[in-house]
Amino acid sequence: SPSTVSDNPVTVLGQGNSAGNGLALSGSSIAASAALFHSQSMSSAVNASASDIHVDVNADGQLLDGVSQTVTGNSVGVYAGLNDATNALSVDAANSVAANVGLAGASSDATSFDGFTGAVADFAVTNLQDSTGTATASLVDARAGILMGDGALGTGGSLTVTGNQFSARASGNNAGNSVALNGAGSVAATAAVDSQQSNAGGISATVSGVDVSAGNRDTGNGDIIGNEVTLTDNRVSGAASGNSASNAISVSSAALNGAGFVGTESSTSDVSTAIADYALNNAQGNTAAISTTMSNVTIGSNLNGGVGAVLNSHAAIGSNMIMASASGNSADNSIVLASVAGMPSAALTSSQVNTASISTSISGARIGMIAGGLSNSPVTVTNNVISAIATGNSAVNHIGIGN
């Protein structure tokens, strides 16, 4: 009989500190200041692991005659993190958002936090994260697919394994910080985002023995006859990161009435400073080893090491991914000003320092089919990816001004 295994999530989460902070103001006309200040520090170890996870159809010894077997949309995810935060400040005015004299009360941190100085503006967000603990994520011996087993025979049907995901991810500091101002008539207020992250703890992710398959056979010599075999859009990944941040300022209005480059609205840190009507500063430092290791990962079909045959069938194995990544510091920083009139100033600074080893490795990875023979059975293996990427520092910085 037909079988479908779909949309089953398996999640293992280990998290040290986690915060979601939101501050929202709305009204006709707003003449106020607001600040959001957030800090996290983590010195303990966080470990997350999963093993022997099977999400599959096991047709051991059965005759699969003219039926469809489908395994789709399932996921197994393991995540270990030290500090994680989302900080969002939004202002929405039907008419105008006014500036405030002296910026009283708008400093997220008027002095310092362990030597850090925060953002200063009419509307300001400061994020400070420090991690010295370790984070380890491990996924071992996991499977999704269709296992035919000893004596099973597939005839005249379909075997479909698509959109399944396996992942292990570990991180030191992760943050999303944003200020959004919207005044339909005019905006004269200033905004600043300051994000500062320091990681000194080892971060590692491990993925081993993961199999995503259709028609796999551990023993026996049964064949696949007259079947459509499809393995597409499956992903197995491992990722480790020291510091990661997404920082954004967005302002939308018919008129932006900035004061110009006056030097009072600022976002500062020990190593960099941004001064403007709309200022964004990102500072990141990593001094600990970051590593991702993947081994013995397979996406495809293995008929008992090539004993079983594929006859009068068609197999498509495409757009699957096996990916390992590791990074010391990564950031996505953007300031977007949308207005018909006005010429405010904007400044963006990003500083990243990495002094530790960043490594990735993949061994024993395979995407494809192993069969004892093919007869009248085209097999396409296209657009698949196996990649290992290690990055010390990476940043995307964008300032956009327009209407």
Side-chain angles (χ1 to χ4, degrees), residues 246-342:
S246 174
N247 305 303
I249 296 175
S250 62
V251 185
S252 176
S253 179
L256 298 181
N257 303 317
F261 203 78
V262 296
T264 56
E265 296 75 51
S266 65
S267 177
T268 64
S269 73
D270 286 350
V271 294
S272 57
T273 301
I275 301 175
D277 294 315
Y278 305 107
L280 187 155
N281 178 69
N282 174 72
Q284 297 171 311
N286 178 67
T287 59
I290 312 295
S291 66
T292 298
T293 303
M294 300 182 68
S295 61
N296 301 321
V297 176
T298 300
I299 300 176
S301 184
N302 183 357
L303 301 182
N304 190 17
V307 175
V310 180
L311 311 173
N312 301 319
S313 299
H314 174 256
I317 302 173
S319 300
N320 302 287
M321 296 184 180
I322 299 174
M323 304 177 67
S325 65
S327 68
N329 302 303
S330 64
D332 188 339
N333 307 304
S334 70
I335 300 175
V336 177
L337 309 178
S339 177
V340 175

Side-chain angles (χ1 to χ4, degrees), residues 101-366:
V101 177
L103 307 176
S107 171
S108 292
D109 182 17
T111 56
S112 65
F113 175 83
D114 290 341
F116 294 118
T117 303
V120 180
D122 292 321
F123 299 99
V125 169
T126 294
N127 174 70
L128 306 177
Q129 294 174 309
D130 177 73
S131 56
T132 57
T134 59
T136 303
S138 174
L139 175 60
V140 179
D141 295 334
R143 184 175 73 208
I146 302 165
L147 179 66
M148 296 182 64
D150 189 11
L153 182 67
T155 61
S158 64
L159 308 176
T160 302
V161 179
T162 183
N164 301 285
Q165 297 189 34
F166 290 85
S167 64
R169 185 165 65 95
S171 71
N173 299 306
N174 182 63
N177 309 297
S178 64
V179 175
L181 307 182
N182 178 41
S186 64
V187 172
T190 59
V193 169
D194 191 0
S195 179
Q196 304 174 44
Q197 298 172 313
S198 174
N199 178 65
I203 311 296
S204 64
T206 301
V207 177
S208 178
V210 175
D211 182 83
V212 181
S213 61
N216 266 27
R217 184 187 312 283
D218 294 330
T219 60
N221 59 358
D223 302 323
I224 293 178
I225 304 172
N227 269 256
E228 289 288 329
V229 180
T230 304
L231 288 106
T232 57
D233 300 309
N234 301 288
R235 175 176 294 189
V236 182
S237 63
S241 63
N243 299 304
S244 177
S246 174
N247 305 303
I249 296 175
S250 62
V251 185
S252 176
S253 179
L256 298 181
N257 303 317
F261 203 78
V262 296
T264 56
E265 296 75 51
S266 65
S267 177
T268 64
S269 73
D270 286 350
V271 294
S272 57
T273 301
I275 301 175
D277 294 315
Y278 305 107
L280 187 155
N281 178 69
N282 174 72
Q284 297 171 311
N286 178 67
T287 59
I290 312 295
S291 66
T292 298
T293 303
M294 300 182 68
S295 61
N296 301 321
V297 176
T298 300
I299 300 176
S301 184
N302 183 357
L303 301 182
N304 190 17
V307 175
V310 180
L311 311 173
N312 301 319
S313 299
H314 174 256
I317 302 173
S319 300
N320 302 287
M321 296 184 180
I322 299 174
M323 304 177 67
S325 65
S327 68
N329 302 303
S330 64
D332 188 339
N333 307 304
S334 70
I335 300 175
V336 177
L337 309 178
S339 177
V340 175
M343 188 61 67
S345 61
L348 188 158
T349 64
S350 183
S351 171
Q352 297 174 315
V353 178
N354 178 72
T355 59
S357 64
I358 312 296
S359 63
T360 60
S361 68
I362 298 178
S363 62
R366 184 177 69 244

